[in-house]
Amino acid sequence: MTALLRIALRSAWNRRLTLGLTAAAIALATTLLLGVERARSGAREAFASSVSGTDLIVGARASPVQLLLASVFRVGEPAAEMSWRSYEAIAAHPAVAWSLPLSFGDSHRGFPVLGTVPAYFERYRHGAGTALRMKAGRAFSGTLDGLYEAVVGAEVAGRPGHRLNDSIVLAHGGGEFAHSEHSDKPFRIVGILERTGTPVDRTVFVSLAAVEAVHLEWAGGAPLPGVSIPAEFARKFDLAPKRISAMLVGLKNRAAALRVQRFVNDFRAEALTAVLPGVALDELWQVVGVAERTLLAVSALVVAVGLAGLAAVVLAGLDARRRELAILRSVGAGPRHIVALLAAEGTMVTLAGMAAGLLLLAAGALTLGPQIEARYGLALALQAPAGGEWRLLGAVLATGIVASVLPGWRAYSLSLADGLTPRL
Amino acid sequence: MDQRVRGAASLNRAPAAAGDAAAGIAQAIELSAVRFRWRAQRSPCLSIAHFALASGERVFLHGESGSGKSTLLNLIAGVLLPEAGSLRVLDQELARLSGSARDRLRADHIGFVFQQFNLIPYLSVMENVLLALRFSPRRAARAGGGSRARAAEVARLLASLDLDPALQTRTAAELSVGQQQRVAVARALIGSPEIVIADEPTSSLDAVRQQAFMELLLEECGRAHAALLFVSHDLRLARHFGRCVAMADINLAEAGS
Ligand SMILES: Nc1ncnc2c1ncn2[C@@H]1O[C@H](COP(=O)(O)OP(=O)(O)OP(=O)(O)O)[C@@H](O)[C@H]1O
Ligand SMILES: [Mg+2]
């Protein structure tokens, strides 16, 4: 058998150009397939990681997915705001261990700005319950003195190259309108967070009072004409928050989740929604699942095209190899050896293609991974294939073997018809 | 393909054991009342009442093109099966062996030289010769135990066939046709098979080369005590052989039908 394998290797090497191109096609297809799978599972992991420590998300009445996306992933905007009174009422519920008010809407160079309380940095959990850690500096103080202090995520610090004590300017909304910067009230960076692989990395954190302060002279998304309140002067105003965007809730006991959820959903003063993050995520994946499966199916088709190409190339080369097969027959190879030879060849090309595909994926993760993570928050780190990927690789290999048996079968019938004297 | 495979009842799966006793066997090849028909054709291609090759004997088999010489060799090789009659190779009735047993019998006991394109072009000369041992542990053992002993045996054979030792590492595609044919002889002889079958091995050589080739082939077969069945339509080569057989004499089927 090893003898046969050696012959298969030499024979394949002799036709390395065509087989190499075929292997390259298989490699690209494998990269695509695994890339899609990795992005898919990576997205799921990142999303699940971002809400791992939160028991409930509360906001104005909206669909659970919308609330989840807006409050945790800073995607889209919540339907409406909720009042500070409601926040206090829910925070005071006996089953609630902690709660974090969230106020968003502004941005800094495309990064979302989140108004919250200093406790955020102690309470928020990601991954398998990991707390946030400061890479440098400290949390914003939350006092009037530290009104214009900001903490930035690793990505915010990394890409524009901000350092501690740098001054940054917030923009109203997503920064898409001209002349809508809060340039009269610059913020000082007092803390930089460690990387988490969650939307925290892309967030600028300020106090709730700061959000009020920068919007003092604003109404309805536009600055009031002729009104200008200097930064220092803003401290004299009432900066207590009146409305927030949403709140994260931690419970003393997770078993109380449904009870608190009902309490919020039946809230009398205003229409609110409480969302169990896991349930909302499931709902999100159901929506996204169709697209995911379509992408995977397209990638699988690309793999099938690559493997069909393999079968075609090997089949096309067979006629020129009838002499070779007859020689092998004359020295004692049986038809089963001929089938094995061809099957081994196809399998080797498939394996080579898959290996190259994995290398390509690793190279992609190394070179493009950081950019993708920065832009989409998708961690495509260099890693060994995980469970689902092994299954895909196995399927590619199995299909490759099936695709190689086809020329093997053709060679079998050729060698039976030819015997030792091929007719060309 | 059915007439070749279906008839092979897999009764006897131990041809190798008989091979070692081959020294005591009188007939290397024996056919009686053998009939063979290509699937597509109505009349038989071969119908041979009797033909035998004694062990160590050299026979020149001639016949015009299309008379069924190559077909007969395929039958002896166990690649085709007769539809009737008895075909024995080293006392083994081929029809009673399984397909893989026939492959094994061929690997262990028969060396082949064809008209041309005997070698696998991308393998070196050395590897081409060693190919004959890949499917036969018995011949591998006879050619010498380890890989060095085998390489030495290849070198000895190539040298006695008048081939430059420097050629061993070249790929087969770099050889002249005459050199290729001699390498093919080395492959047919390595591991001392009992039977060597040559199917027009000289037809692509010029007259001078033919003469030299015939002498080397006969000498080496004699040294290895191998029976030689030499097939050609070139009657001038008959003088090298003690016995000449015409296809027309043994084949009762109408040639070319
Ligand atoms: N694979 C095949 N399928 C069908 N018919 C075949 C096949 N091979 C040979 N034949 C037929 O069998 C007959 C004998 O062919 P064969 O090749 O044995 O002749 P040959 O004596 O070797 O001729 P040559 O001297 O030209 O090599 C021919 O009529 C040929 O058409
Ligand atoms: Mg012929």
Side-chain angles (χ1 to χ4, degrees):
Chain A
M1 201 62 214
T2 49
L4 211 59
L5 215 62
R6 284 241 303 271
I7 294 171
L9 266 174
R10 296 294 296 271
S11 177
W13 180 248
N14 188 44
R15 286 165 293 125
R16 55 191 172 277
L17 185 64
T18 46
L19 292 183
L21 282 174
T22 314
I26 295 173
L28 288 175
T30 306
T31 308
L32 178 68
L33 185 69
L34 289 190
V36 166
E37 167 65 13
R38 195 163 286 187
R40 195 184 71 91
S41 63
R44 294 201 167 198
E45 255 169 54
F47 274 53
S49 160
S50 309
V51 292
S52 64
T54 307
D55 294 324
L56 280 174
I57 303 166
V58 178
R61 180 136 309 161
S63 83
V65 171
Q66 189 186 8
L67 185 56
L68 174 83
L69 286 177
S71 59
V72 180
F73 303 107
R74 336 261 193 257
V75 175
E77 299 222 351
E81 300 189 308
M82 64 186 282
S83 75
W84 184 252
R85 285 236 199 101
S86 305
Y87 168 78
E88 285 182 317
I90 293 164
H93 189 281
V96 171
W98 53 264
S99 60
L100 300 171
L102 307 175
S103 179
F104 33 79
D106 282 355
S107 67
H108 162 70
R109 297 198 187 179
F111 293 112
V113 172
L114 182 66
T116 185
V117 290
Y120 186 96
F121 304 104
E122 289 149 35
R123 290 297 182 196
Y124 183 81
R125 293 286 182 275
H126 64 95
T130 318
L132 296 177
R133 271 181 305 146
M134 286 291 169
K135 190 174 176 190
R138 54 168 175 86
F140 57 76
S141 66
T143 61
L144 266 189
D145 278 344
L147 185 60
Y148 299 112
E149 289 177 348
V151 170
V152 297
E155 200 55 53
V156 183
R159 215 160 20 125
H162 288 319
R163 275 182 279 158
L164 276 188
N165 294 323
D166 276 4
S167 168
I168 60 174
V169 169
L170 310 189
H172 195 74
E176 58 272 29
F177 312 110
H179 311 299
S180 60
E181 291 205 324
H182 305 296
S183 50
D184 57 332
K185 300 188 181 69
F187 282 72
R188 189 169 63 90
I189 296 177
V190 296
I192 295 172
L193 291 163
E194 292 271 19
R195 186 172 291 278
T196 64
T198 70
V200 165
D201 297 349
R202 290 178 293 124
T203 304
V204 176
F205 296 89
V206 299
S207 68
L208 287 173
V211 174
E212 296 292 327
V214 296
H215 290 117
L216 276 177
E217 68 269 53
W218 288 58
L224 296 170
V227 182
S228 171
I229 300 163
E232 284 312 309
F233 205 58
R235 291 197 167 91
K236 302 236 184 307
F237 286 78
D238 172 21
L239 297 179
K242 283 115 211 144
R243 306 191 71 74
I244 58 170
S245 308
M247 67 188 282
L248 303 182
V249 176
L251 299 175
K252 289 171 183 154
N253 183 349
R254 282 211 160 171
L258 288 175
R259 192 152 47 87
V260 178
Q261 185 183 31
R262 211 173 312 122
F263 169 75
V264 173
N265 287 344
D266 296 345
F267 204 71
R268 202 77 59 72
E270 63 183 320
L272 296 179
T273 299
V275 167
L276 295 163
V279 175
L281 266 185
D282 283 347
E283 208 172 295
L284 176 64
W285 296 138
Q286 270 174 22
V287 176
V288 181
V290 180
E292 280 180 352
R293 278 193 295 277
T294 310
L295 257 181
L296 261 184
V298 169
S299 323
L301 268 180
V302 173
V303 171
V305 169
L307 293 175
L310 168 68
V313 160
V314 177
L315 267 177
L318 259 189
D319 261 340
R321 296 169 68 198
R322 288 170 89 157
R323 190 67 248 181
E324 181 184 326
L325 299 181
I327 291 168
L328 290 174
R329 288 280 275 147
S330 80
V331 295
R336 69 201 159 89
H337 292 117
I338 301 296
V339 176
L341 184 76
L342 271 290
E345 178 177 309
T347 307
M348 283 186 315
V349 173
T350 308
L351 279 174
M354 284 166 57
L358 279 172
L359 278 180
L360 209 61
L361 191 69
L366 277 180
T367 53
L368 300 177
Q371 276 183 43
I372 292 176
E373 177 158 8
R375 191 155 312 165
Y376 306 107
L378 255 184
L380 292 180
L382 188 60
Q383 60 181 49
E389 296 173 25
W390 280 122
R391 232 171 300 134
L392 287 177
L393 285 174
V396 173
L397 181 59
T399 318
I401 291 172
V402 170
S404 329
V405 166
L406 188 67
W409 174 81
R410 169 84 183 132
Y412 172 86
S413 54
L414 271 183
S415 79
L416 278 189
D418 285 348
L420 305 182
T421 43
R423 2 227 103 228
L424 294 171
Chain B
M1 67 181 83
D2 27 12
Q3 77 269 41
R4 279 154 265 165
V5 183
R6 298 254 168 83
S10 51
L11 300 175
N12 188 340
R13 299 196 107 257
D20 289 318
I25 289 169
Q27 302 289 41
I29 300 169
E30 187 167 16
L31 290 81
S32 52
V34 164
R35 223 174 39 218
F36 176 81
R37 183 199 320 258
W38 284 103
R39 181 161 55 161
Q41 284 158 15
R42 218 170 287 146
S43 54
C45 167
L46 287 178
S47 179
I48 297 174
H50 186 261
F51 172 75
L53 180 72
S55 59
E57 194 188 11
R58 297 156 183 197
V59 169
F60 182 75
L61 181 66
H62 62 94
E64 62 195 54
S65 186
S67 59
K69 304 183 295 293
S70 298
T71 307
L72 174 61
L73 300 190
N74 272 308
L75 282 169
I76 294 169
V79 172
L80 302 178
L81 277 182
E83 66 179 43
S86 155
L87 169 44
R88 300 167 78 80
V89 172
L90 298 172
D91 267 0
Q92 301 270 319
E93 182 61 55
L94 288 190
R96 298 173 69 178
L97 299 181
S98 70
S100 58
R102 276 179 280 134
D103 292 331
R104 187 63 181 274
L105 188 69
R106 177 172 73 252
D108 283 345
H109 304 290
I110 310 180
F112 286 92
V113 185
F114 297 104
Q115 182 170 354
Q116 55 180 351
F117 308 125
N118 275 288
L119 307 182
I120 294 185
Y122 52 82
L123 294 182
S124 73
V125 166
M126 172 70 86
E127 288 164 323
N128 261 293
V129 176
L130 289 174
L131 210 54
L133 311 181
R134 292 267 182 253
F135 296 90
S136 171
R138 178 177 183 271
R139 271 175 82 175
R142 283 180 160 211
S147 57
R148 282 170 101 223
R150 284 180 219 164
E153 172 67 2
V154 175
R156 187 193 68 77
L157 274 168
L158 291 177
S160 64
L161 287 164
D162 237 2
L163 281 169
D164 187 346
L167 290 179
Q168 284 176 32
T169 51
R170 294 240 208 118
T171 64
E174 295 171 80
L175 301 189
S176 77
V177 176
Q179 288 169 328
Q180 286 181 26
Q181 292 304 83
R182 278 178 282 164
V183 173
V185 171
R187 186 175 64 206
L189 287 169
I190 193 165
S192 314
E194 286 79 358
I195 302 169
V196 172
I197 292 179
D199 190 358
E200 314 204 34
T202 56
S203 58
S204 49
L205 304 179
D206 60 47
V208 182
R209 291 272 166 132
Q210 267 187 16
Q211 174 71 23
F213 178 86
M214 286 309 296
E215 278 165 12
L216 283 172
L217 175 66
L218 291 167
E219 189 182 320
E220 286 306 315
C221 283
R223 190 181 300 176
H225 306 293
L228 174 63
L229 180 57
F230 190 100
V231 173
S232 177
H233 54 240
D234 187 354
L235 275 169
R236 286 171 303 169
L237 298 171
R239 63 192 159 86
H240 296 283
F241 293 83
R243 184 153 78 98
C244 290
V245 177
M247 228 16 222
D249 293 341
I250 59 166
N251 189 4
L252 307 178
E254 248 176 67
S257 55

